[in-house]
Short mmCIF file of all heavy atoms in Angstrom, two decimals:
data_model
loop_
_atom_site.label_atom_id
_atom_site.label_comp_id
_atom_site.label_asym_id
_atom_site.label_seq_id
_atom_site.Cartn_x
_atom_site.Cartn_y
_atom_site.Cartn_z
N GLN A 293 65.90 -23.46 0.58
CA GLN A 293 66.41 -23.78 1.90
C GLN A 293 65.39 -23.47 2.99
O GLN A 293 65.20 -24.24 3.93
CB GLN A 293 67.71 -23.01 2.16
CG GLN A 293 68.91 -23.53 1.37
CD GLN A 293 70.15 -22.68 1.60
OE1 GLN A 293 70.12 -21.69 2.35
NE2 GLN A 293 71.24 -23.03 0.93
N VAL A 294 64.72 -22.32 2.85
CA VAL A 294 63.69 -21.97 3.83
C VAL A 294 62.51 -22.93 3.72
O VAL A 294 61.92 -23.33 4.74
CB VAL A 294 63.25 -20.51 3.66
CG1 VAL A 294 62.09 -20.17 4.60
CG2 VAL A 294 64.41 -19.56 3.91
N GLU A 295 62.15 -23.29 2.51
CA GLU A 295 61.03 -24.23 2.30
C GLU A 295 61.32 -25.59 2.92
O GLU A 295 60.39 -26.34 3.25
CB GLU A 295 60.74 -24.38 0.81
CG GLU A 295 60.11 -23.14 0.20
CD GLU A 295 60.04 -23.19 -1.31
OE1 GLU A 295 60.83 -23.95 -1.92
OE2 GLU A 295 59.19 -22.48 -1.89
N GLN A 296 62.58 -25.93 3.07
CA GLN A 296 62.97 -27.22 3.64
C GLN A 296 63.38 -27.12 5.11
O GLN A 296 63.75 -28.12 5.73
CB GLN A 296 64.12 -27.82 2.82
CG GLN A 296 63.76 -28.12 1.37
CD GLN A 296 64.97 -28.40 0.50
OE1 GLN A 296 66.08 -28.59 1.01
NE2 GLN A 296 64.76 -28.45 -0.81
N HIS A 297 63.30 -25.93 5.66
CA HIS A 297 63.72 -25.71 7.04
C HIS A 297 62.63 -26.25 7.98
O HIS A 297 61.51 -25.76 8.01
CB HIS A 297 63.94 -24.21 7.28
CG HIS A 297 64.67 -23.89 8.54
ND1 HIS A 297 64.12 -24.06 9.79
CD2 HIS A 297 65.94 -23.43 8.75
CE1 HIS A 297 64.98 -23.69 10.71
NE2 HIS A 297 66.11 -23.31 10.11
N GLU A 298 62.98 -27.26 8.78
CA GLU A 298 61.98 -27.92 9.62
C GLU A 298 61.40 -26.99 10.67
O GLU A 298 60.24 -27.13 11.06
CB GLU A 298 62.61 -29.15 10.30
CG GLU A 298 62.99 -30.26 9.33
CD GLU A 298 63.55 -31.47 10.04
OE1 GLU A 298 63.65 -31.42 11.29
OE2 GLU A 298 63.86 -32.46 9.35
N GLY A 299 62.18 -26.03 11.14
CA GLY A 299 61.68 -25.14 12.17
C GLY A 299 60.81 -24.01 11.66
O GLY A 299 60.18 -23.30 12.45
N LEU A 300 60.76 -23.78 10.33
CA LEU A 300 60.03 -22.66 9.76
C LEU A 300 58.82 -23.07 8.93
O LEU A 300 57.78 -22.40 8.97
CB LEU A 300 60.97 -21.81 8.89
CG LEU A 300 62.13 -21.13 9.60
CD1 LEU A 300 63.02 -20.43 8.57
CD2 LEU A 300 61.64 -20.13 10.64
N ILE A 301 58.95 -24.14 8.18
CA ILE A 301 57.95 -24.43 7.17
C ILE A 301 56.60 -24.81 7.77
O ILE A 301 55.56 -24.72 7.11
CB ILE A 301 58.45 -25.54 6.21
CG1 ILE A 301 57.61 -25.56 4.93
CG2 ILE A 301 58.46 -26.89 6.92
CD1 ILE A 301 57.62 -24.26 4.17
N HIS A 302 56.57 -25.20 9.07
CA HIS A 302 55.28 -25.56 9.67
C HIS A 302 54.51 -24.32 10.13
O HIS A 302 53.36 -24.43 10.55
CB HIS A 302 55.50 -26.50 10.86
CG HIS A 302 56.09 -25.82 12.06
ND1 HIS A 302 57.43 -25.51 12.16
CD2 HIS A 302 55.50 -25.37 13.21
CE1 HIS A 302 57.66 -24.92 13.32
NE2 HIS A 302 56.52 -24.81 13.98
N ILE A 303 55.12 -23.14 10.04
CA ILE A 303 54.43 -21.89 10.42
C ILE A 303 53.62 -21.39 9.22
O ILE A 303 54.20 -21.08 8.16
CB ILE A 303 55.44 -20.81 10.86
CG1 ILE A 303 56.33 -21.33 11.99
CG2 ILE A 303 54.72 -19.54 11.26
CD1 ILE A 303 55.58 -21.63 13.27
#
Side-chain angles (χ1 to χ4, degrees):
Q293 288 176 0
V294 175
E295 289 170 337
Q296 297 167 12
H297 194 290
E298 293 182 359
L300 296 176
I301 197 59
H302 72 282
I303 305 295

